[in-house]
């Protein structure tokens, strides 16, 4: 269910609107701020990685706000298909 919701939000961001308020209304989210922080920003970060805008671990840490490489590495290990696109 969460994957379907995330896919829907990703497609809406890409094809229709980037307004968190409009997306929250479409999916019936109670908190626009929570939707923005937990879903929309993560989708945008993933899109930046996929597009090649983020190429090094330092750039990734800067975008996601990690203070050290341990946190970044922990999340990178959760998504093995992304590990090759971020240099260590």
């Amino acid at each position: 269910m969460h994957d379907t919701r995330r896919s829907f939000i990703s497609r809406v961001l890409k094809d229709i609107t980037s307004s968190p308020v409009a997306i929250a209304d479409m999916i019936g989210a109670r908190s626009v701020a929570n939707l923005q922080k937990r879903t929309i920003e993560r989708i945008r970060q993933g899109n930046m990685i996929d597009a090649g805008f983020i190429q090094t671990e330092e750039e990734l840490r800067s975008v996601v706000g990690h203070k050290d490489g341990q946190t970044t590495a922990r999340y990178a290990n959760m998504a093995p298909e992304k590990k090759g696109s971020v240099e260590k």
Side-chain angles (χ1 to χ4, degrees):
M1 185 65 169
H2 290 287
D3 289 343
T4 303
R5 180 176 180 249
R6 186 176 171 95
S7 293
F8 173 78
I9 294 169
S10 181
R11 288 183 180 166
V12 169
L13 280 170
K14 181 180 174 186
D15 298 333
I16 299 173
T17 182
S18 63
S19 167
V21 175
I23 294 170
D25 187 49
M26 287 180 200
I27 65 169
R30 288 183 264 175
S31 169
V32 175
N34 193 33
L35 175 70
Q36 174 78 22
K37 180 180 177 183
R38 294 181 175 260
T39 306
I40 294 175
E41 289 305 317
R42 290 180 183 171
I43 290 170
R44 287 182 177 150
Q45 291 162 1
N47 290 344
M48 289 175 70
I49 292 169
D50 292 343
F53 295 126
I54 298 173
Q55 298 180 359
T56 66
E57 184 178 342
E58 290 79 21
E59 290 172 346
L60 177 62
R61 281 201 316 260
S62 173
V63 169
V64 298
H66 293 165
K67 294 179 182 176
D68 58 44
Q70 288 179 330
T71 305
T72 307
R74 184 176 60 211
Y75 284 104
N77 289 332
M78 292 176 150
E81 69 276 4
K82 300 288 183 198
K83 285 171 68 172
S85 65
V86 177
E87 295 177 10
K88 290 189 176 184

